[in-house]
Structure formats: structure tokens, C-alpha cells
């Protein structure tokens, strides 16, 4: 997740919006590093919001404003990333199951079992799925929150295993 966020952070730092982030556009290179691909819908942002073509991208991963608005910004990528992170953490067994829950997930209504089992991840994902783009964090903010969470998990694992050396 951190590698994906680093990639999106880099894309945004170069003033681009990917506009079609989805699992099939995230790959591993031969070096084992995460690669973000398919820049066919990339847009250059030279202002906070520019007029864009509506309904460009993969519908199930599009931010609400990307489906209907003529102006949007890089926060559309954050919405997509929220969905991707959810999928990385929560097992969805079938397309049918995904179809039943996806609308709720897009509306920040994640399964109660997810919230109970993955409270920290829920705290990261929920604002990413805000309907209003201005309520979504930037890629750098999400990355910082995730790094903090990862650090806490590392400390917890060390405490759980003890300080045994090999």
C-alpha cells in the first residue's frame, strides 16, 4: 500500500492525475517493486480544478465527481485508492459478493466485520471515500497516516514476539 501511495504521490507531484487507478493497473516489476500502469487517461493539472471529460475511467473505481462533473482534481485518484486499499485488506470471495457490497463501500459504509477487525485501516480508508473531494486527504497525508500505522504494527509485533535475537 505504501508503494502504491508513493507512486500516486509522485504522479501528483508532477501535476498529473491518473484518472483510472484500479487493481489491474497496479503491477509488480521484475525487481519486485510496485508499478502503476495505463496512463491512457492521464490528465495534466495546471490549476486546482480544470474542465475534464466526464465519465472517463473504470466506472466501479471512479470518484463520484468523475462520473458526473466537468471539473475535478487529483482527489479522484484518492477515492480510487481508498477502494483499492479496502480490497487489499478485505477478502471478497466472489464477484457476486463484490457487487452486493461495492455500493456501500463507495458510500463509506464498510462491513461491520471490517470496521471491527481493521479499525486503523478503516480510519485511513473512510476519509478517502468521502463524497466531497475537499474532504479527502492528499496522497502525502494518506501515506503519512499509513506509515504511522505500519510503525505501530511493527512495535506491536516486536512486543508480541519479544526481543529474541536469531
Amino acid at each position: 500500500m505504501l508503494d502504491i501511495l508513493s507512486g500516486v504521490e509522485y504522479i501528483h507531484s508532477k501535476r498529473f492525475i491518473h484518472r483510472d487507478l484500479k487493481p489491474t493497473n497496479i503491477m509488480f516489476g521484475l525487481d519486485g517493486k510496485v508499478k502503476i500502469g495505463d496512463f491512457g487517461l492521464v490528465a495534466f493539472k495546471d490549476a486546482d480544478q480544470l474542465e475534464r471529460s466526464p465519465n472517463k475511467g473504470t466506472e466501479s473505481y471512479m470518484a463520484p465527481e468523475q462520473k458526473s462533473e466537468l471539473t475535478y482534481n487529483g482527489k479522484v485518484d484518492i477515492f480510487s485508492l481508498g477502494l483499492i486499499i479496502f480490497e487489499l485488506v478485505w477478502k471478497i470471495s466472489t464477484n457476486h459478493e463484490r457487487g452486493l457490497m461495492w455500493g456501500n463501500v463507495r458510500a463509506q459504509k464498510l462491513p461491520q466485520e471490517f470496521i471491527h477487525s481493521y479499525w486503523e485501516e478503516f480510519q485511513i480508508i473512510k476519509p478517502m471515500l468521502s463524497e466531497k473531494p475537499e474532504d479527502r486527504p492528499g496522497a502525502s497525508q494518506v501515506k503519512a497516516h499509513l506509515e504511522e500505522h505500519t510503525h505501530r504494527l511493527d512495535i506491536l509485533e516486536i512486543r508480541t514476539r519479544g526481543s529474541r535475537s536469531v
Side-chain angles (χ1 to χ4, degrees):
M1 287 187 275
L2 284 171
D3 288 345
I4 297 167
L5 279 160
S6 292
V8 172
E9 183 180 41
Y10 179 79
I11 291 165
H12 288 181
S13 77
K14 297 300 179 188
R15 299 172 47 198
F16 289 107
I17 305 169
H18 190 282
R19 301 198 309 164
D20 197 22
L21 290 173
K22 57 187 175 184
T24 56
N25 287 341
I26 298 169
M27 300 153 275
F28 289 96
L30 294 175
D31 58 2
K33 295 186 182 200
V34 170
K35 309 289 182 188
I36 297 174
D38 191 357
F39 284 79
L41 293 177
V42 74
F44 184 70
K45 74 173 189 169
D46 56 359
D48 278 347
Q49 288 198 335
L50 290 176
E51 192 163 311
R52 312 265 184 229
S53 304
N55 215 20
K56 294 288 182 190
T58 303
E59 187 173 353
S60 59
Y61 289 92
M62 275 188 218
E65 69 274 17
Q66 194 175 357
K67 289 183 172 187
S68 59
E69 303 292 323
L70 290 178
T71 59
Y72 52 85
N73 60 27
K75 297 289 182 93
V76 297
D77 290 341
I78 301 303
F79 189 91
S80 301
L81 278 176
L83 295 169
I84 292 166
I85 292 172
F86 173 77
E87 285 185 291
L88 286 171
V89 176
W90 191 248
K91 181 182 178 189
I92 302 174
S93 300
T94 64
N95 281 334
H96 178 72
E97 180 184 359
R98 185 178 182 279
L100 292 175
M101 78 167 50
W102 206 242
N104 286 332
V105 172
R106 290 180 55 83
Q108 295 181 303
K109 298 174 190 160
L110 282 65
Q112 284 301 312
E113 303 86 16
F114 178 88
I115 296 168
H116 177 73
S117 299
Y118 299 102
W119 177 250
E120 285 286 335
E121 291 82 353
F122 171 70
Q123 295 299 312
I124 294 169
I125 294 169
K126 187 172 186 206
M128 295 174 77
L129 298 176
S130 292
E131 186 168 332
K132 295 179 182 177
E134 61 270 16
D135 293 341
R136 291 180 212 138
S140 297
Q141 292 170 288
V142 176
K143 184 179 169 191
H145 195 158
L146 191 56
E147 286 172 334
E148 187 179 300
H149 174 56
T150 302
H151 180 70
R152 281 194 305 271
L153 285 176
D154 289 344
I155 290 171
L156 182 62
E157 184 176 342
I158 290 167
R159 286 182 184 156
T160 303
R161 289 185 179 183
S163 59
R164 296 173 277 181
S165 9
V166 178

